Amino acid sequence: MKRILTFFVVAIMSVASYAQYNTGDISIRESTFYFGARLGIDFSRLTGDISDVRARTGLTLGAIAGVRISEDTPICIESGIYYTERGANRRLEGYKERINLSYLELPILVKYGFGLGNDMAILPIVGPYFSLGIGGRIKDNVSNVSAFSDDNFNRLDMGMKFGCGFEYNHLYLEAGYQLGIANIAKASLKTIHGNAWFINIGFNI
């Protein structure tokens, strides 16, 4: 947790410094492509046929590309590749269990820009995401096993992403919620979904 918070604070200072020396019109005013980077944290948990679950804090890191699809309306389509850390913490009859899940995520998002003047805009976000599990462990007091073994979780996940972004010059900030739709439990007669709140910072160029 300390590592994530330290990294997050340093990133905020770095991106703010970048934005200070890179002014210009925001992307919703142009019919063009844009690219960017994202860094953030998420607060994830598992819901469904799983008990005694608490949220887990993880890191998010991504690279994005987008395009405004209409010259008359500020609608953008954005996608990219994210590395995300998900999972949950549990307390079970005197011992603790940590479920750590790492994914590569591909979102396909629609954004609508509302210009506020002075190079600022608000951009509501909605769209699906698709995730592939690339690593993960389930740890407790006595065991440490793969999260994607035959008895635990599926590697493939998908869901819907909702949120809102704020852009000033090249600086970008967004927050929202990811609702897991796919059942990631491998066990029969069991249903588990992965959900998360997220906060990301970054820049668009």
Side-chain angles (χ1 to χ4, degrees):
M1 183 63 183
K2 291 181 180 180
R3 172 179 61 88
I4 293 173
L5 290 177
T6 300
F7 193 31
F8 197 58
V9 170
V10 172
I12 291 174
M13 295 174 64
S14 299
V15 172
S17 178
Y18 175 88
Q20 181 179 358
Y21 296 102
N22 290 271
T23 60
D25 290 339
I26 55 176
S27 58
I28 67 165
R29 296 181 181 177
E30 304 172 358
S31 178
T32 185
F33 288 93
Y34 64 91
F35 304 91
R38 302 287 185 264
L39 175 67
I41 56 175
D42 58 65
F43 308 94
S44 63
R45 62 178 301 163
L46 303 176
T47 60
D49 297 325
I50 184 170
S51 59
D52 303 310
V53 175
R54 299 186 179 188
R56 178 185 184 276
T57 303
L59 178 69
T60 298
L61 181 65
I64 64 94
V67 61
R68 178 172 169 173
I69 61 174
S70 170
E71 295 183 358
D72 300 321
T73 307
I75 297 177
C76 301
I77 300 294
E78 182 180 294
S79 187
I81 294 293
Y82 288 76
Y83 167 78
T84 63
E85 296 175 344
R86 301 291 173 83
N89 296 320
R90 304 177 70 196
R91 292 182 180 274
L92 301 168
E93 298 180 357
Y95 75 94
K96 298 179 181 179
E97 181 182 72
R98 296 184 63 187
I99 302 173
N100 302 319
L101 306 173
S102 299
Y103 290 96
L104 286 181
E105 180 182 296
L106 173 71
I108 303 175
L109 306 175
V110 177
K111 295 186 172 184
Y112 188 96
F114 296 94
L116 301 179
N118 297 322
D119 296 326
M120 294 186 293
I122 292 178
L123 301 98
I125 306 164
V126 65
Y129 68 89
F130 307 89
S131 301
L132 173 66
I134 58 172
R137 310 293 297 180
I138 300 177
K139 303 177 183 180
D140 58 29
N141 293 357
V142 296
S143 64
N144 183 345
V145 300
S146 171
F148 297 112
S149 66
D150 293 338
D151 299 325
N152 293 312
F153 297 99
N154 292 308
R155 289 186 180 273
L156 298 180
D157 190 14
M158 66 170 294
M160 291 295 297
K161 191 171 185 176
F162 309 91
C164 189
F166 173 79
E167 188 172 359
Y168 172 65
N169 290 327
H170 296 285
L171 180 64
Y172 184 79
L173 172 69
E174 66 180 5
Y177 187 72
Q178 293 189 223
L179 177 66
I181 295 175
N183 178 17
I184 62 174
K186 281 189 174 179
S188 60
L189 303 179
K190 207 169 189 181
T191 300
I192 297 176
H193 300 285
N195 307 311
W197 293 96
F198 64 88
I199 302 173
N200 295 326
I201 63 169
F203 59 87
N204 294 333
I205 56 175

